[in-house]
Amino acid sequence: MLWLNMVLFLTASMGAPTGLPVQDTFHTLLQRGVRAFSSGDYEGAVKHFRALQDTFGEEPEYAQASIQQLLLPLRGYAHLQTDLPGEAEADFMEFLERFSGEARQRAFVLFNLGRTLRESGKLGEASDIYGQFVLEFPGKPETALAVMRRADLLLKLGETDSGLALLRELYNSKVSYLLRVQARLRALQAAIDNNRTDAASEILLQSPWNLDTMPELAALAFAALRLGDSLAGLEEYGEAVRCYRLVPPKVILVSMQERRLNEIRAAAKRHEALAVDSSGALWVEYYAQLTAGIETRLDALQAAGDYTPGFLLRYGQALLLAAREREAWIVFESLALDDGVPVVERTEAHYRWILAAHALKFWDDALHIARDFIDRYPDSVLAPQALFLIAKAYQEERDYPQAIELLTELLDRFPEHGMVSRWIFTRGYCSLLDERHTEARADLGIYLDRFHDGKLRVNAQLWHALSWFFEKNYDTALLELTNLATVAQNHPLLPEIEYRVAATHYSGRNYDDALTQIDDWLDLYPGHEREPEALVLKGDILMGRGELRVAAEAFARVTPDARRLFPYAIFQTGKIYRALEDYEKMSAHFQYYVEREDIADKPRVSEALYWIGWTHDRIGFPEKALPVFTDALAAYGNWPEANEIQLILTTLHQLHNKLRLKSSGEAISDISLSQKPDFETWVRTERQTALDAGELTYYARLTTFLAGLQERQNRADEADTLLLEMVEKVPPAELGPEGLSRAGEVMEKFGFPSAREYYERLVEEFPKAPQRAYAYYGLARMEIAHGQFSEARPLLNKLIDEMPAHPLGTEGALLYGQTLVALDETEEAVQVYENLLRRRSARGRPHAEALQGLAQAHRALDHPAKAIAYYQRLYTLYRAYPDLVADAYLQSARLFEQTGDPRAAYQSLRELLDAPELSLYEAAATARMEIERLAPPSSTAASPKP
Amino acid sequence: MIHPQPTSAIAALACLTLSACTVHGENPHLAAMESELSKPVTVINKFGRSVTGRIDRFSETQFTLTAPADAGEVIYTYGRGDDAQLHFPGNDYKLLALDLLDDGHEAVAIPVLRALFAQRSPYLDFLPEKEAVFFARLADAYLGQGKPIDAVATARRLAPHIKTTSVKRKLRDIVLLAHYRLKLQEETRQLAGAWIKTAPRFHDSALGWWVLAQLEFEAENFEAALWNALRPIVFAGPMPMAYRQHCYAVCISSYRALNDDENAQTLTNEMNALDLEWPDIPSLHDWRQN
């Protein structure tokens, strides 16, 4: 310190009077005090200064202003350094009262007075003194230190805004980096301590931290961690992630902080060496404080456990909730597979890894990770939740039976778990989606009975009601829905419930109530997300009532925003014009749809084109229709989504014939199709062109059409060859529903197991296509061929339930009946056959087969009389089907014999053998053998029993 | 002969590069350097005795030095365990090369480094590790100057003589990058895989992850590119990380290719907040958006 050297110089120059003992002189004592002070021996300095005062305090020499001006700051500082703040304060105050002082001396006194007052707990006064320092010495390097001290005091005094403002000013100023970064860190900590989360975020994240030189790394890391936690608590996950990214793992933080501490110590030493003036002491103190703070924090950090796994879990969770699922996955996976991580955190991470996979909808992965979790931690408290997540993954993959099985396992293993209600509900819901309505209702019923406060009560009631709807039991569904609507008045699902009421009225053909309900609904919930559905429903209701033009108005209100419902409304409107025989309007309507350019994704254009062509033909301009169809084929023939290509080809075929007749075999206008002598030749040429151009979907469509032509001409072999060619040339992914069904059929016919691939693809890729009936039927047939009746059952059930009017519906029902008999569910089989007999569309052979099925069912039920009656109906009414008739005679004969009526048995066989048209059947051959062991009737032939 | 000092590096640079100095296709300064480097070497044995001569033969375990004697020549044999120090002439050129590299004149530094490497590399078995460490700069300069084959050859030559972890890593990075630039995809994949296998969770470089991600991106496997490039981003921590911006660029581009604009924007914002520059990678140019 410069002024300290001056003191030494002055005291030395005054000299000691010659001949006096050195220790007794004023100057010697003063010199000793000063020397002790300058060597950092503050206790010695205090002792000597006290001796000086005790010995010479009353002397005028001691009272000299020049001596006191030099002595008071030294003594005050020595008092301060020896924990005597009261004395220090007195010295500094006396100095300030008596002397204005030399600038550096005054700065020293003011700064240390501030420190003294602070250490005495006089925070307000200390703050004022530091403020005075700043005012008096604005440009000094240590002014920044004073600002920081003042800010600290203000924060301690609860004057948070003022304290933060000072720190903000400081870290935005041009003072040294070290002070700026410390001010920023202090401001950050203060903002966090005072729950000023926004301010803390701004301070932490507004600009990058220069961590290469940042001294208090640990303090920053923990501030970032705390702030990250606070932000996560406030659901500001994106910002939380940014905070967590400033937190290094413990091992790196410790090593970085140690290195930085050594650098700070070296810097402190440099300042000590340079401490030749008053400000040097301030910096030495500053570095001492800084170093002590870092050391304390580092010691605590090293002594504490590793925060890293817990921090990473929170970081991963913030990523997950910030919709950054892949990053969350990476964090959780990394922890879950790290054997060095404690098992508790590892287990938690593994579980959350499943959640990340779920959030990404990577169901396969979710299943795999969750299965791995169960294998690793079968006894974990998270195991039930993990199993539940697996079940949810199965549900999302539409593997409902697996989901149900897993949920059942959960309910069996953990019947007291807190999530039982959720599991029961989910199982019921899965059953519903799997069309197991009875089971669904059972679970939903249990949920409603057991969990009166369950959060999903209304949902459960709604699904319960809808299970009846799906079973077409509209009365019960309506009853439950209307009851639910009255009790769920404030529930968010109320609009859904009321919409379903209208839909149920409609499905039950109660159009009046349906219309009232849907009109009310549209008034009550304008802009609701169900509004497009409601408008479409209203259109359908009005169509049901025969109010076609009003219905068209309802459909016209459906806009392209309604996505899939928009084309539905368009085609319903087309249907209305067709019913009204307003073909001009119908044509214009579809033309407008085709030409609209404001619809990004416009489906069913080929279908619209078909109808445009169709109307041209209807209006009497078939030549106009021809180019519309050929253009549609050229544009959409190779589009897998275009559903009407077969229909267009069929119509084109008819049109071609009509035009050829009309023009007496001459070329029709100038279109290429007209130049072909027959349609089949044109199709073959078109097919080859498509193949050459690599348009495999179109090639396949033309092939299936051509195969159909061959079949109608009884050239089944030729048809099979064409279809096998198609299978060879076109990969399944390029086939539409028609191609897949025909490929499946031909492969099944020739016994190729890969038929299954085509059928399954058809069901998966085209779940709404009517051709899926062939897949259900074909797959069921393949299962039955292997004796897997229980596997065949749901397939046939779907066929009958989803497409009762499909041509395969009848065959499906017959096969379903047989399956039920094989599964010992004969009563249900009887129902199936009886329903079939009521169906007029199944007249002829299907009815005969239904009778045969009924007879077999009653035989299985041990009702021989009923069985015989059905056989008798068969061979009486359905003589056109001799194979069935022959079998019916044989079987009824056996039943007669079995019931102790050999005469009737003999008579039945006799009738079989007497009918020449039955003689070629195997039953006749069997009858010839069996009749021999039956006694011939002794008298005239008895009539068969009724 | 030139006697370059570090401060005169730029002057030396001018001399080495100016075509005006070239006579009959030879640069006289390079010729002078080669002449200097071809002077005899000095060996100081463990007792402090020095001998100057020429190395005639060497193997991995020993070399022989032929020194002139009064009447003719004396042949000395030194083994690896003899604790003899081998001193080559031309150390000033090392300083020159370092100066040139530090000033960003890689292309000019390469001939100097190459001449030094030719002089000393055969004897790396007998030289202290710091000599091999010095020549890592040559491998790096080759890579920087678009000579990946030379970079790989130099790095592989040096690798067995390096024990310092940071330099070993540097050479491994050079080899990996050189393979990537040579478009040797399979080898690059293997090297990147090995790089990743030894990298800790929190690392100061993302090179291996980026290279793998970049290969996937260029093969239009955007999902795979994303997973690889996200990994170092997730574990970047607060400290600087080499190739971090490359990983951000691949992730943002991949998200855009997958039509996930939301995540692309999140990462773009993050990249900007971190003051990271979009890297100059041709395949990613079109995916950059502000």
Side-chain angles (χ1 to χ4, degrees):
Chain A
M1 296 177 202
L2 203 54
W3 61 274
L4 180 64
N5 292 340
M6 283 166 64
V7 174
L8 285 167
F9 171 76
L10 277 170
T11 51
S13 64
M14 285 172 190
T18 317
L20 284 174
V22 173
Q23 67 272 28
D24 295 330
T25 67
F26 173 85
H27 292 102
T28 309
L29 276 176
L30 180 58
Q31 263 186 339
R32 280 188 188 161
V34 170
R35 284 204 177 108
F37 184 94
S38 62
S39 65
D41 176 11
Y42 299 112
E43 283 187 1
V46 166
K47 194 177 86 185
H48 293 306
F49 291 146
R50 195 166 283 161
L52 186 69
Q53 189 175 18
D54 291 348
T55 312
F56 300 103
E58 302 299 323
E59 300 293 328
E61 198 179 11
Y62 181 80
Q64 277 177 29
S66 59
I67 291 295
Q68 288 299 315
Q69 186 174 352
L70 292 168
L71 186 61
L72 284 169
L74 297 185
R75 198 172 66 193
Y77 190 76
H79 278 138
L80 179 60
Q81 293 295 90
T82 48
D83 280 339
L84 296 166
E87 286 82 347
E89 184 184 341
D91 287 337
F92 291 138
M93 290 301 284
E94 187 182 342
F95 176 90
L96 292 174
E97 280 162 17
R98 288 177 61 185
F99 310 107
S100 57
E102 187 260 334
R104 278 177 293 175
Q105 204 182 8
R106 187 172 169 78
F108 177 83
V109 170
L110 268 180
F111 197 93
N112 282 303
L113 177 59
R115 184 182 152 201
T116 307
L117 292 167
R118 190 185 65 193
E119 289 179 11
S120 304
K122 298 173 180 175
L123 304 186
E125 289 166 60
S127 165
D128 291 344
I129 291 295
Y130 282 124
Q132 193 180 338
F133 183 96
V134 173
L135 277 176
E136 286 189 31
F137 305 102
K140 289 178 78 70
E142 53 270 28
T143 307
L145 270 184
V147 173
M148 195 126 82
R149 297 277 185 264
R150 184 156 187 245
D152 258 336
L153 289 165
L154 290 169
L155 291 168
K156 280 186 183 143
L157 287 164
E159 296 180 36
T160 311
D161 290 333
S162 308
L164 281 175
L166 279 183
L167 290 169
R168 195 168 276 140
E169 199 179 306
L170 192 58
Y171 71 71
N172 286 322
S173 71
K174 291 188 174 164
V175 299
S176 73
Y177 164 75
L178 193 59
L179 283 171
R180 270 186 287 135
V181 79
Q182 233 195 330
R184 190 175 167 195
L185 183 58
R186 184 69 193 100
L188 172 64
Q189 290 169 321
I192 296 171
D193 290 342
N194 289 285
N195 295 321
R196 306 278 179 93
T197 312
D198 288 347
S201 293
E202 191 207 327
I203 297 165
L204 182 69
L205 304 172
Q206 66 177 357
S207 60
W209 295 71
N210 187 356
L211 297 180
D212 283 339
T213 47
M214 166 88 194
E216 294 180 273
L217 284 169
L220 176 64
F222 285 111
L225 196 56
R226 280 176 64 199
L227 184 57
D229 291 346
S230 297
L231 288 164
L234 294 168
E235 300 184 3
E236 292 181 27
Y237 303 113
E239 293 292 286
V241 166
R242 291 183 66 193
C243 295
Y244 288 140
R245 289 249 165 107
L246 288 167
V247 183
K250 181 181 173 181
V251 63
I252 291 178
L253 180 59
V254 168
S255 113
M256 276 166 41
Q257 188 63 86
E258 280 173 341
R259 205 164 52 230
R260 208 53 45 79
L261 181 59
N262 289 334
E263 287 164 12
I264 297 283
R265 280 176 181 147
K269 273 203 171 140
R270 283 198 299 277
H271 273 275
E272 271 175 37
L274 294 171
V276 290
D277 62 14
S278 62
S279 67
L282 309 185
W283 288 108
V284 169
E285 184 228 333
Y286 165 75
Y287 273 104
Q289 269 197 7
L290 179 62
T291 312
I294 295 174
E295 281 170 344
T296 309
R297 217 180 284 272
L298 188 56
D299 287 346
L301 177 63
Q302 283 169 325
D306 189 358
Y307 63 85
T308 316
F311 146 65
L312 285 176
L313 275 178
R314 305 208 291 285
Y315 172 43
Q317 190 67 9
L319 284 165
L320 185 60
L321 296 169
R324 299 172 71 163
E325 298 90 354
R326 285 183 180 82
E327 291 162 82
W329 170 311
I330 289 167
V331 174
F332 293 139
E333 180 189 28
S334 163
L335 280 175
L337 301 180
D338 183 349
D339 291 340
V341 171
V343 72
V344 173
E345 281 87 355
R346 216 178 333 141
T347 312
E348 186 72 36
H350 201 134
Y351 176 72
R352 295 188 195 183
W353 183 15
I354 311 169
L355 296 178
H358 254 259
L360 281 165
K361 298 187 167 62
F362 290 178
W363 305 119
D364 278 351
D365 294 304
L367 278 173
H368 176 75
I369 300 164
R371 284 279 178 212
D372 189 31
F373 180 91
I374 299 294
D375 289 346
R376 284 175 189 241
Y377 314 109
D379 300 322
S380 164
V381 288
L382 293 170
Q385 276 126 291
L387 276 171
F388 181 59
L389 287 174
I390 300 175
K392 292 292 280 181
Y394 278 129
Q395 181 192 324
E396 294 294 343
E397 288 208 309
R398 299 182 180 190
D399 191 345
Y400 305 119
Q402 284 277 20
I404 290 165
E405 192 181 318
L406 213 51
L407 288 162
T408 305
E409 183 189 332
L410 263 176
L411 288 162
D412 289 346
R413 278 178 61 186
F414 308 101
E416 304 301 325
H417 196 276
M419 283 183 67
V420 160
S421 63
R422 184 76 192 274
W423 301 340
I424 289 176
F425 176 86
T426 308
R427 190 173 66 176
Y429 182 65
C430 285
S431 293
L432 198 69
L433 294 174
D434 201 33
E435 299 176 21
R436 290 150 76 167
H437 300 119
T438 309
E439 290 92 330
R441 276 194 294 275
D443 274 337
L444 295 168
I446 291 170
Y447 180 92
L448 292 167
D449 287 346
R450 275 181 61 186
F451 307 104
H452 296 284
D453 298 324
K455 287 181 182 165
L456 298 170
R457 279 190 73 79
V458 174
N459 304 57
Q461 284 169 292
L462 176 61
W463 289 119
H464 195 276
L466 290 177
S467 73
W468 294 116
F469 178 91
F470 299 139
E471 284 189 332
K472 299 186 173 62
N473 185 341
Y474 302 121
D475 290 343
T476 311
L478 199 59
L479 188 67
E480 290 192 9
L481 285 169
T482 44
N483 285 341
L484 182 57
T486 56
V487 296
Q489 278 302 307
N490 297 315
H491 198 276
L493 279 175
L494 183 63
E496 175 69 22
I497 296 162
E498 292 186 335
Y499 168 81
R500 294 288 184 174
V501 170
T504 310
H505 278 307
Y506 168 74
S507 298
R509 297 175 187 271
N510 181 353
Y511 300 130
D512 292 344
D513 286 345
L515 187 61
T516 309
Q517 178 77 17
I518 206 66
D519 276 339
D520 288 350
W521 193 99
L522 286 164
D523 288 344
L524 272 171
Y525 307 111
H528 189 275
E529 60 181 20
R530 276 272 191 207
E531 191 177 42
E533 271 107 329
L535 285 170
V536 162
L537 179 58
K538 182 176 177 179
D540 285 340
I541 293 166
L542 288 164
M543 280 178 82
R545 285 163 63 96
E547 298 173 43
L548 298 184
R549 292 203 186 273
V550 195
E553 285 167 21
F555 287 127
R557 286 174 61 195
V558 182
T559 62
D561 301 340
R563 296 173 183 274
R564 62 182 177 80
L565 289 174
F566 177 68
Y568 177 82
I570 288 284
F571 283 87
Q572 285 296 84
T573 307
K575 207 186 272 183
I576 288 171
Y577 292 136
R578 192 171 135 211
L580 293 169
E581 298 184 5
D582 191 343
Y583 302 124
E584 297 278 3
K585 213 162 188 172
M586 183 178 172
S587 176
H589 170 75
F590 282 122
Q591 195 70 44
Y592 175 62
Y593 176 69
V594 169
E595 287 170 3
R596 275 185 80 154
E597 288 178 357
D598 59 329
I599 308 167
D601 184 20
K602 194 159 47 175
R604 298 172 69 179
V605 174
S606 57
E607 193 178 344
L609 286 170
Y610 166 78
W611 287 114
I612 293 169
W614 183 87
T615 51
H616 285 315
D617 186 29
R618 271 301 167 107
I619 295 166
F621 300 108
E623 62 279 6
K624 272 191 182 178
L626 209 59
V628 174
F629 288 139
T630 50
D631 287 353
L633 288 177
Y636 299 99
N638 200 46
W639 274 34
E641 301 81 19
N643 297 325
E644 289 62 43
I645 301 303
Q646 293 300 324
L647 190 59
I648 291 176
L649 286 168
T650 306
T651 314
L652 201 54
H653 190 191
Q654 292 162 357
L655 210 56
H656 183 262
N657 288 342
K658 191 192 278 187
L659 287 170
R660 282 190 65 212
L661 287 172
K662 196 174 169 184
S663 59
S664 309
E666 290 173 14
I668 314 150
S669 72
D670 59 351
I671 56 173
S672 67
L673 170 56
S674 65
Q675 290 157 10
K676 297 289 174 195
D678 65 86
F679 192 70
E680 186 177 329
T681 312
W682 179 82
V683 172
R684 283 185 188 277
T685 312
E686 192 79 351
R687 178 172 169 266
Q688 188 57 48
T689 310
L691 182 64
D692 295 344
E695 294 183 339
L696 296 180
T697 303
Y698 188 36
Y699 164 83
R701 284 169 168 161
L702 290 161
T703 304
T704 53
F705 179 81
L706 208 51
L709 283 182
Q710 305 310 310
E711 282 160 354
R712 281 194 288 283
Q713 293 163 29
N714 290 324
R715 291 156 64 185
D717 290 349
E718 173 70 7
D720 290 344
T721 307
L722 284 166
L723 292 170
L724 288 169
E725 258 178 50
M726 177 186 80
V727 169
E728 187 194 334
K729 289 190 166 60
V730 186
E734 305 259 4
L735 292 172
E738 178 75 17
L740 286 169
S741 69
R742 298 306 312 266
E745 278 184 314
V746 76
M747 297 297 272
E748 188 195 345
K749 182 174 177 181
F750 288 95
F752 294 113
S754 55
R756 180 180 293 278
E757 185 190 341
Y758 289 92
Y759 286 144
E760 286 176 348
R761 190 176 180 86
L762 172 53
V763 174
E764 280 163 22
E765 297 294 319
F766 303 98
K768 301 277 178 195
Q771 290 88 347
R772 72 186 187 283
Y774 294 96
Y776 292 145
Y777 187 68
L779 285 169
R781 213 161 38 189
M782 290 173 80
E783 296 293 358
I784 289 169
H786 291 95
Q788 301 292 326
F789 289 96
S790 55
E791 302 293 324
R793 182 188 165 151
L795 292 161
L796 293 166
N797 202 355
K798 279 185 179 181
L799 169 62
I800 295 160
D801 199 49
E802 291 175 18
M803 289 169 292
H806 192 276
L808 270 181
T810 305
E811 288 175 62
L814 288 167
L815 205 55
Y816 189 42
Q818 284 177 32
T819 303
L820 290 170
V821 172
L823 289 170
D824 276 341
E825 295 181 40
T826 319
E827 299 281 6
E828 202 179 333
V830 168
Q831 288 299 315
V832 170
Y833 288 129
E834 285 180 350
N835 286 342
L836 197 59
L837 285 177
R838 281 193 280 273
R839 210 185 291 172
R840 300 176 74 187
S841 61
R843 280 179 184 170
R845 187 174 175 96
H847 272 189
E849 287 185 27
L851 289 172
Q852 186 185 43
L854 278 167
Q856 287 165 347
H858 282 293
R859 199 167 167 181
L861 287 168
D862 202 19
H863 299 154
K866 279 189 177 175
I868 290 169
Y870 282 117
Y871 283 130
Q872 285 175 335
R873 263 177 77 184
L874 197 162
Y875 62 66
T876 310
L877 297 173
Y878 296 94
R879 306 294 298 186
Y881 311 106
D883 54 328
L884 301 179
V885 170
D887 184 66
Y889 275 124
L890 179 65
Q891 299 305 334
S892 59
R894 286 174 176 171
L895 284 168
F896 278 129
E897 188 184 4
Q898 202 180 312
T899 52
D901 190 350
R903 283 171 57 89
Y906 180 86
Q907 192 60 37
S908 295
L909 293 179
R910 189 70 271 152
E911 283 184 36
L912 165 58
L913 294 173
D914 287 348
E917 74 276 16
L918 307 179
S919 60
L920 293 174
Y921 293 94
E922 201 180 325
T926 312
R928 260 178 232 114
M929 289 188 283
E930 290 190 8
I931 201 165
E932 286 175 10
R933 55 185 173 79
L934 293 170
S938 55
S939 59
T940 53
S943 302
K945 285 187 177 177
Chain B
M1 190 184 89
I2 53 172
H3 292 284
Q5 298 297 313
T7 48
S8 62
I10 302 303
L13 163 70
C15 290
L16 287 165
T17 54
L18 282 176
S19 58
C21 295
T22 307
V23 181
H24 304 306
E26 285 189 4
N27 183 320
H29 297 284
L30 283 175
M33 179 177 68
E34 277 161 16
S35 161
E36 171 73 11
L37 297 182
S38 63
K39 284 182 175 174
V41 302
T42 300
V43 177
I44 303 173
N45 72 9
K46 60 185 169 187
F47 303 111
R49 192 184 160 214
S50 70
V51 180
T52 300
R54 294 186 185 283
I55 298 173
D56 288 332
R57 285 178 302 184
F58 66 93
S59 68
E60 281 183 8
T61 53
Q62 63 179 33
F63 67 91
T64 59
L65 185 81
T66 306
D70 297 338
E73 290 177 329
V74 177
I75 296 172
Y76 299 88
T77 302
Y78 299 94
R80 276 176 83 171
D82 288 350
D83 204 13
Q85 295 169 29
L86 183 55
H87 293 272
F88 286 88
N91 273 349
D92 284 347
Y93 287 102
K94 282 174 75 175
L95 298 174
L96 169 67
L98 289 175
D99 250 16
L100 288 167
L101 290 172
D102 291 345
D103 288 341
H105 302 295
E106 272 184 340
V108 188
I110 283 176
V112 180
L113 285 164
R114 192 165 47 208
L116 287 162
F117 190 65
Q119 179 201 29
R120 300 172 190 208
S121 63
Y123 313 108
L124 286 171
D125 285 327
F126 308 100
L127 289 169
E129 188 196 354
K130 65 180 181 184
E131 284 286 337
V133 168
F134 168 74
F135 286 116
R137 301 289 299 266
L138 175 60
D140 200 25
Y142 275 138
L143 193 66
Q145 289 302 302
K147 295 178 174 173
I149 294 175
D150 294 327
V152 172
T154 308
R156 293 222 159 124
R157 178 78 185 80
L158 294 173
H161 304 283
I162 302 285
K163 292 191 178 67
T164 312
T165 310
S166 59
V167 184
K168 276 175 104 75
R169 278 177 49 191
K170 176 80 190 158
L171 291 177
R172 186 190 55 178
D173 289 358
I174 289 169
V175 170
L176 172 56
L177 271 173
H179 276 80
Y180 169 68
R181 289 187 190 160
L182 286 165
K183 300 192 186 303
L184 299 168
Q185 294 201 2
E186 263 323 295
E187 293 82 351
T188 309
R189 265 177 205 282
Q190 283 174 15
L191 288 167
W195 190 102
I196 287 164
K197 212 169 174 181
T198 57
R201 183 187 290 149
F202 287 88
H203 200 24
D204 59 4
S205 172
L207 178 66
W209 294 106
W210 167 65
V211 169
L212 210 51
Q214 187 64 32
L215 289 177
E216 297 292 4
F217 185 85
E218 285 164 13
E220 299 190 356
N221 299 327
F222 302 120
E223 188 73 36
L226 198 52
W227 283 103
N228 282 306
L230 272 175
R231 167 90 194 194
I233 288 177
V234 168
F235 293 121
M239 296 305 286
M241 175 191 259
Y243 295 93
R244 192 180 185 183
Q245 70 275 32
H246 292 63
C247 288
Y248 269 101
V250 172
C251 284
I252 292 165
S253 305
S254 301
Y255 271 130
R256 290 203 172 116
L258 294 166
N259 293 319
D260 186 343
D261 291 337
E262 200 175 322
N263 272 314
Q265 195 54 51
T266 303
L267 289 184
T268 305
N269 295 343
E270 206 167 272
M271 198 179 176
N272 293 336
L274 291 165
D275 279 345
L276 296 175
E277 290 286 322
W278 190 273
D280 184 18
I281 303 166
S283 58
L284 304 180
H285 281 172
D286 293 346
W287 297 94
R288 184 181 184 179
Q289 281 171 25
N290 291 316

